[in-house]
Each structure stands twice: as C-alpha cells, then as structure tokens.
Amino acid sequence: MTALIVCHFVLAACAAPLVRRLGSRAFVVLALPPAAATVWAATQWNTAASGGSVTWSWRWMPAYDVFVELRLDALAELMVLLAAGIGALVLLYCASYFSDDAPRLAGFAGNLLAFAGAMLGLVLADDLITLYLFWELTTVFSYLLIGYSSEQKHSRRSALQALTVTTLGGLAMLVGFLILGQATGTYRISAIVADPPATSLAISMAVVLILCGALSKSAIWPFSLWLPNAMAAPTPVSAYLHAAAMVKAGVYLVARLAPGFADVPVWRPVVLVLGGATMLLGGWRALRLNDLKLVLAYGTVSQLGFLTLLAGIGNRDAALAAAVMILSHALFKAPLFLVTGIVDHAAGTRDLRRLSGVGRALPYVCAVAVLAAASMAALPPLLGFAAKEAAFDALLHGDAADRWALAVTVAGSTLTVAYAVRFVWGAFARKPGVENTPVHRVGWAFLAPPAVLALCGLVLGPGVGRVQRLLSAYADEFPVPAHPYHLALWHGFGTALLLSAVATVGGAVLFAGRTTVTRLSRRIAWPTADRVFGRLLLGLERTSLEITGFVQRGSLSGYLAFTLLVMLAGQLAVLGVDRPWHGASAPRLWDVPLQGAVAVLTCAAALLCLTVSRRMKAVVLAGLTGYGTGLLFVVQGGPDLALTQFCVETVSMVVFVLVLRRMPVHFQESVSTWRRAVRIPVALAAAATLSVVVWVAAAARTADPAGAAMVEETAHHGLKDVVATILVDLRAWDTMGESAVLAAAAIGVTSLIYLHRRADGSGLREEVPGRTAWSLTERGLTGLPHGDEGAPERSWLAAGATLAPEHRSVVFEVVARLLFHPILVLSVYLLFCAENMPGGGFVAGLVAGVGLITRYLAGGRFELAEAAPLQPGLFTGLGLFLSTGVALLGLADGTVLHAWTYHGRLPVFGPYHLGTPVLFDSGVYLLVLGVVLDIVRALGAKIDRQIERAAAEKAAAENAAVEKTAPPGEAGPGAEPDPEAGPGTAPEAGGAPG
C-alpha cells in the first residue's frame, strides 16, 4: 500500500521531464501508478468481500503514540477502485485532451497524479491524523488544479473559493478528530467505530465538527457554493475531482463513521436535513443553466446531497444503497464530464443554446452520453436504476424521518431526470432555428475512457449482484434486519418501482415544460456562489477596516498602555480568584546579596529612562537594563544565558544607533503632566504584577522540576551542556520553529527598507567596476598627493580608502583589523564546544555578527560589503534549510533529532565526533549570521546610501545655484574637483556611521 502511494508522488515529481520529452503522451506513463493501484485492489477483492482487511502499520514515533495506519476493507476497496481506476482513465483521456504546446502542462500533470496519490492515501488511512494529512493534501492539489488557468481572474477566484471553504471545514474537522481521539484514547478509526464511546457533550461537539469538514468537502449546503465555480478547471479535473474522487471524500467519511456515530442525537438531523436540502436546491438550479458543465456541476451537488443522506441514515439497507449509489454515481457522472470535454473540444462551445445536430455528427459520443445520462436518470437496465431502487426500498422500510427523506429523494429524483434529459437534448439534439454546429472528428483514444465507464454502468446493471458481497461486507457493520435487502436489477412490481416511475414521468413533464420551468426557476433562485463569496469577502473587509480604524489610532504609547492594562487586569483577576500563593514557599529576594545590588542598578537604569529627553541616552539606559539582566545570569550561574544576553543586547544597541541616525536627536512628543501621571503608575503596576507572577510561578510549584530529568538525559549521552542539548536535541522542533519565525521577521523588516530590490549594499566592485579598495590604494587614491614617490600609506581595512578623512579613526581601524578574525574564530569555537561548554549556534552566530558589525562601524558600507561579499539571504536560507533538513532526518527513525553520530580522529586535534545536533546548530549559526547581516545592511548600508544620495543631490543643487549667479568666465566651487583631494571628500564618498 505504501509503495503504491509513494509511487504516485515520485512519478508526479518526474512529470516535468516526462512532459518535455513526450509532450501530452506523458499522461500515458503517468497513468501507470493508478492503474497499478487498480490491479492491486482487484487482487484484494475476495479478502475485502469476505469481511477481512489488509492492514499496514508504522510506529513512527512510539514515544508520542504517533503511528501511520493503513487499512483496506470493503468500503476502502470500493473507493480505491473508483479513485485509482477512474484516475487512470482520466489520465489517459488527458493525452488526447491536451496538445503538446499547452501552457504549464507539466505542472498540471504532476498535480493531477499527486492528487490521485493523496486520494488513495485518504481512503486507505486508518488513523485520524493520517487521514487529515491526506485530506489537506487533496485540498492543496485541488486548489492548484482548479486554478490551472491562473491568468484568468475567474480561475483564481474559483480556486480561492474552493481552498477557503474546504480548508476551514478541514480545520474544524481536525479539532473534532482531536476531541474524538482524546475521548476514546485512540486515533485508529477501525477501533473507534468498532467500540464507539458513550454519547456526551464532547462527543456531540466532535461529531458536529467532523461533519463540518465532511459536508464542506462534499459541497453540501451551505458549503456548496465552491463546487459550481470549480468548473473553471479543465474538464479532466471536473471529471475526476468533482465526480469520482475529491467530493466523494466527505461522503466516504460519513459512511466510514456512520456505523459508530449514527445514533448520536446530532448526527441524523444534520445529515438528513442538509443532505435533502442540497439535493433539491442543486437539482432545481440545474434546470435553468445553459452551460453543460454547470448543468452537471449542480447535478453533482444534488447527487452528493442524496449520497450524504443515504450514507448517514444509519441502517444496513440504507448503507448498502449508499455504497451502490457511490459506485453508480462515479460511473455515470465521470463519463458525462468527459463527454462534455469532447463536445467542447470538437465544437468549440459548451453553450446548449448554440449546440445543434451534434448527435448526428458524433454518433458514438452521443451514444456514450445517452448511456451515462440514462443511468443518472435511473432508467433500466442500467446500474443507476438498481441503485435508486435500493435507496427507495431502504427509505420505505425506515422510521418517520426516513419517510420524510423518501419524499425528498423522490422529488430530487424527478429533478435528476429533468436535467439529465436537458443535458442530452442540449448537447446533441437538433434545435429549431439553430444551424447545425460544425464539429471535427473525435479519435477512439479520446472517446475510450468515457465509453469504458458508461459500459461498466450498463454491464453492472444486470450484474449488480456480483458486487453484492463486497458492498454487503460494509453494510453488515450495521445491525442486520430480519429480511435484509439484496441487490438485483428486478425486484418485481412494488412501491419502489412505482416511485421510480413517478420520478421518471415527473422529470419528463418538467423537461417538456422547460420554458416555463426555466422562467420559474430564475424567479425562485438563491444568490449565485460568486455573489455570496463576494459579499462575504466585502463584509469581512469592511468589518476589519472598521475595527482597525477604531483600535489603531496611531499612538504607540496608547497601544502599549492598553496592552499593559489588559495584561494587568487578567493577571490580577487570576491572582485574586485562584489565589495560587496558598501553600507556596516563603519568598526569597536573592540567593546572594550581589544579585540584589545588580537588580537595584538595573531598576535604576530603567527608571532613568523616564527623565531623559535625548533618544541616544534613552537607548543607552535601556541597553544597561539588558546588560544588568545578563549580569544576573552570570551571578546565578547561567553562562549560556549570560553570553546570549550580552550578544543580543550588543546587536540591539547597534541597531538602535543605526536607526537613530534618521530620527531627531530629542523626543518630539510633548507629554502633558496628567498623561505622565497616568503612564508612570501603569508602568510600575505592570512591572510589579509581572514580578509577583514570576515569583508565584517559581514558588508555587507543585510538580517535580524537569531539570533533573534533563540533566540525567544529557549525562546519559556523555554531554555536559544541558541548555544547548535541550535546544538542539530534546526540543529541536521548537528551536526550528523559532528559527523560522526569526528568519521571517528579519526578511519582513528589511523588506520594508528595500522597497525595490534587496540586492543593495553591494560590494565595492559593483560601484567601481574593475577596481577594488586595494587597487584604489595602489593608484595613489589614499590621500597622498600625485607624484609622491614615497611608499603609500597602509590601509588597515579592505575598503578604508573609501572613507572621508573626517570619518576615519586609525585606532578603530587597527582594533577592528586585529579583532575581526579572533572574533570569527571565537564564534566557531562557541559553535563546536557547545556540547560540554557554554556556547551554541545561536550565540556563535551573534558573535560572528558582532565581528561584521565591527567591520562596518570602522569602515562603512563598502567595508561591510568586502567583509561579507555574499548576500544575507544565502546564509539565512542555507541555515534554515540545514536545520530543517536535519530535523526532518531525525523524524525518519521516530526520534526528535538523534539520527547518527560519527566518531573520528584528526592529525592535530585528536579524536572528535560529529553528530546531527552539531549540524543542526550549524544551521542555526548560519541563520542568525544571515539575519544580523541582513539587518545591518538594511539599517546601515542602505541608509548610508540614502544619506549619500541626499547629500549629493543637495551639493548638486547648491553648485547649480552658484553657477547661475557666478560672473561669466568664473567657475563655481563644484566645477572642477581638486586633483589632490582624496576620494573621501566627494559628496558621494562613503562614511562610517556616527
């Protein structure tokens, strides 16, 4: 089973080279995995029909009770045959439907085959979480397939509708799965259905949430708005996803869970009412449409309501009728969609008002369509008739609610007959006053897939008894009545046959009065899907704008005050109601007096921030609070935390200083006395509350600390640094998620500055083509007069010659030159020593970033470009890729990260070992280095360039003004540059910040 599923995705990944080499004929190769799945399912027929099952289980993460469970039983056998068999035929159909030069054909082919693999995994899944994963995969691939014609607004809108509705339903379903799994103690579907839990509020809520996902997937009202608009997809997509596969997923889930949960009080009202309403509304809408695909689309909505109603009733005969109706619906609706594609391909239109005489021009296509439409209208001797008879008989022998459902299904069947006749008449009949539609011939390869499906419906009508064993194996999961229903084409004259006749005659009458019915249908109609979706989006947009305008007033101090007040109220309410301090140990102000002294100094620095008016002083004082926190970590004995805090505070201080260059020196906000009187108490109260909460959290502990277990686990692996081991091994996935957030935040912030492109801050080579800083020095551009034969002045930095003299500091350049490489070596040391000494990828990346910041502060943006010629995005992407890849590698053997460790010996360094935690930490190192470099380039080098351009423009304007006022024959100050001036005197010369 797993090999078949994996083959779908592997070959889907190879779709691009196959399409490039074979063109549309690549679909024949891509049809092999679903064809193999069909053959495999056929070989398991006897096992499933005998009530047995084929299972496969993988203990993915035993420590967390996470398993991958697959199971093939009778219901799954039926769905595999439909999903795989029809999938193979649709892929063969695509070989004739598409031309070799069709745009984005490779992506479409890969997505269609991957969807088939996801659908196969969905129907085989025996675990709720596994089912949900494949469920969402079908949602994603359907979104890509529906939006195939992405250049058209309608296609993009339709794909978004399908994605929005089915994803929201899927999220609700996931919550229901989690509730159900926790209530039953297992996530295995077969175990839950075999021994369902007792009805309770939690189970009822879980059932409702699961039904939301199932009904949204199967386009049941009120979620049916997305399916008709999904007809923007190519016809093969409509035939497969919206007739045989994706929309059947919701019906399948209802049928799968019905044996265990049909007796839950909320189940039957939801299923019967919404299923019946969908059947009537979809059929009624189909009577007034002129697009053949839309007629079939609303007919599909109607039939899905019928299937949901039958699958959810909860008795044996109805379940049997639902199973045979699922088979019948796939065998007549898929060929009807495929025939519609043939007609559209041959005639160039799907508008039934413009089609005339196509039946005579394409007699074989017409014959296939008539067979499929007759089965949809439940005419004998086709499978649709046998399925409809089974449904009527099951509802006849039910309770009062079933009889109400019977009336609805008879009315819905009448509508089905009417739009089935309307489809055949509109596509193939000759219409008075309309010229015959010119069509081109259709090859046998094009017609074969729908013909095979329609013939299956014809053969299985008289031979419906051959599928009795398989379908009964599923239906017998319900209590078996004294006289169970048996599938057969003819059961003699009876009430069920009479109701079938009534529906057929009623449908013929509706078609005969189609003009009046169409006029009446247009008067009695609900809003279209586009209108509903558009109004919903417009309403959400207006609501969000109103809320945003009410809340976002543009005052940062106001936002902070509201945040602190809400936090203050919430924490005080908890402290006042729960009183968690009862039984807590006595408060301890400090472990050693030095902690108190450091805390007092830190609080003093924080309070002094209230008294300053200069921004730079406020930044320095705020930084002192961070350094004070780092000192507390030092005193407490946390070197890792202290080192990280110092590095973070240093980088933050530099970033603040860089930002302040573009801001006024003093705070410009005037704060009145009464506002200051309100702000200070709010800030002090929030600080005091947080202090009390932290003390309560530490002093009111009732469980054993986790630290001892962490230390023991770390020592078990021969390691000493508990903090680093926790971050890169025991909690690697948390670290990976935080790293991803850090990367996204950095990219988002810097992108606000790089409005046009993020490649700015380039090296000196781009600004001075063919010359580096050293070549400039060799040419005498370091400030020495031309003609000086003495040795040129030595430059300590690679791009030091680009600095203006007034911006240079020889001491700073020398210090930066001497410290840069030791800082980098220290960062590498901190990276590799983290297992047994303070360090780690995060702090090592910060240390390396501090080294680059030193080069930038000493030499400006050109120096930074020379020190780090690669783009920051390369470091960020490579680091995130490396850490994510290592974390995923650890999942392969069911662990968090420990995949392997390599031991070796180096000639100079001696023995060493290299493990996946080190590789993971290396990814974090690169990620943090890239983030720091990106921020420095954005807030430093980019702003430097903006300042230089502004200065150059100002100088040019002044020179132009002087030239206008200068007497004739005299040059202005900017007319000729001083040949002895260094490059730093030019208006656009680079300068170190500050």
Side-chain angles (χ1 to χ4, degrees), residues 343-435:
V343 172
D344 188 15
H345 203 275
T349 181
R350 298 194 308 259
D351 192 337
L352 57 83
R353 295 168 299 184
R354 298 170 56 188
L355 293 170
S356 180
V358 176
R360 291 188 176 182
L362 302 174
Y364 297 108
V365 176
C366 179
V368 172
V370 169
L371 278 178
S375 183
M376 182 168 65
L379 298 180
L382 296 157
L383 181 60
F385 173 77
K388 191 69 68 68
E389 288 282 293
F392 286 165
D393 189 271
L395 296 175
L396 275 171
H397 295 89
D399 54 17
D402 292 347
R403 289 187 173 85
W404 173 88
L406 175 63
V408 172
T409 55
V410 172
S413 299
T414 302
L415 298 174
T416 302
V417 174
Y419 64 70
V421 179
R422 176 180 174 82
F423 173 85
V424 175
W425 168 80
F428 300 101
R430 295 190 63 182
K431 301 177 182 66
V434 180
E435 296 183 359

Side-chain angles (χ1 to χ4, degrees), residues 708-755:
M710 294 292 186
V711 173
E712 181 180 356
E713 180 69 18
T714 303
H716 174 71
H717 292 284
L719 307 176
K720 296 180 181 179
D721 192 339
V722 180
V723 174
T725 305
I726 291 173
L727 293 178
V728 303
D729 194 343
L730 303 179
R731 298 186 59 185
W733 277 83
D734 290 344
T735 304
M736 187 187 69
E738 293 165 0
S739 302
V741 172
L742 176 64
I747 293 172
V749 170
T750 54
S751 295
L752 295 176
I753 299 175
Y754 290 103
L755 297 179

Side-chain angles (χ1 to χ4, degrees), residues 942-962:
K942 178 68 176 181
I943 295 180
D944 285 346
R945 176 171 293 184
Q946 294 175 355
I947 294 175
E948 292 165 11
R949 288 176 178 172
E953 293 174 358
K954 181 179 179 181
E958 292 176 352
N959 291 339
V962 171

Side-chain angles (χ1 to χ4, degrees), residues 258-259 262-263 267-268 309-319 402 478-479:
D263 293 332
W267 178 278
R268 281 170 59 88
L309 184 148
L310 289 176
I313 283 179
N315 62 62
R316 188 264 179 194
D317 290 348
D402 292 347
F478 296 88

Side-chain angles (χ1 to χ4, degrees), residues 187-224:
Y187 286 91
R188 181 172 294 185
I189 300 173
S190 57
I192 294 174
V193 174
D195 186 19
T199 301
S200 62
L201 179 60
I203 295 300
S204 298
M205 288 299 300
V207 166
V208 171
L209 292 172
I210 292 172
L211 286 177
C212 284
L215 300 182
S216 64
K217 198 78 162 182
S218 289
I220 303 302
W221 190 90
F223 306 108
S224 56

Side-chain angles (χ1 to χ4, degrees), residues 326-526:
I326 289 174
L327 175 61
S328 173
H329 178 266
L331 294 180
F332 65 66
K333 189 56 66 72
L336 286 175
F337 272 113
L338 296 179
V339 164
T340 301
I342 293 175
V343 172
D344 188 15
H345 203 275
T349 181
R350 298 194 308 259
D351 192 337
L352 57 83
R353 295 168 299 184
R354 298 170 56 188
L355 293 170
S356 180
V358 176
R360 291 188 176 182
L362 302 174
Y364 297 108
V365 176
C366 179
V368 172
V370 169
L371 278 178
S375 183
M376 182 168 65
L379 298 180
L382 296 157
L383 181 60
F385 173 77
K388 191 69 68 68
E389 288 282 293
F392 286 165
D393 189 271
L395 296 175
L396 275 171
H397 295 89
D399 54 17
D402 292 347
R403 289 187 173 85
W404 173 88
L406 175 63
V408 172
T409 55
V410 172
S413 299
T414 302
L415 298 174
T416 302
V417 174
Y419 64 70
V421 179
R422 176 180 174 82
F423 173 85
V424 175
W425 168 80
F428 300 101
R430 295 190 63 182
K431 301 177 182 66
V434 180
E435 296 183 359
N436 288 343
T437 305
V439 297
H440 62 76
R441 297 183 60 184
V442 176
W444 284 104
F446 204 3
L447 183 59
V452 169
L453 294 174
L455 289 175
C456 287
L458 176 62
V459 172
L460 287 178
V464 69
R466 295 183 177 273
V467 298
Q468 171 76 40
R469 285 182 61 229
L470 178 68
L471 304 185
S472 294
Y474 159 69
D476 289 343
E477 294 182 17
F478 296 88
V480 180
H483 302 285
Y485 186 84
H486 294 279
L487 294 176
L489 181 64
W490 180 253
H491 283 275
F493 295 98
T495 306
L497 182 62
L498 177 61
L499 293 176
S500 296
V502 169
T504 303
V505 173
V509 171
L510 287 176
F511 173 75
R514 55 186 175 275
T515 303
T516 303
V517 171
T518 301
R519 188 182 304 114
L520 183 62
S521 176
R522 289 177 178 173
R523 292 181 180 178
I524 307 175
W526 64 96

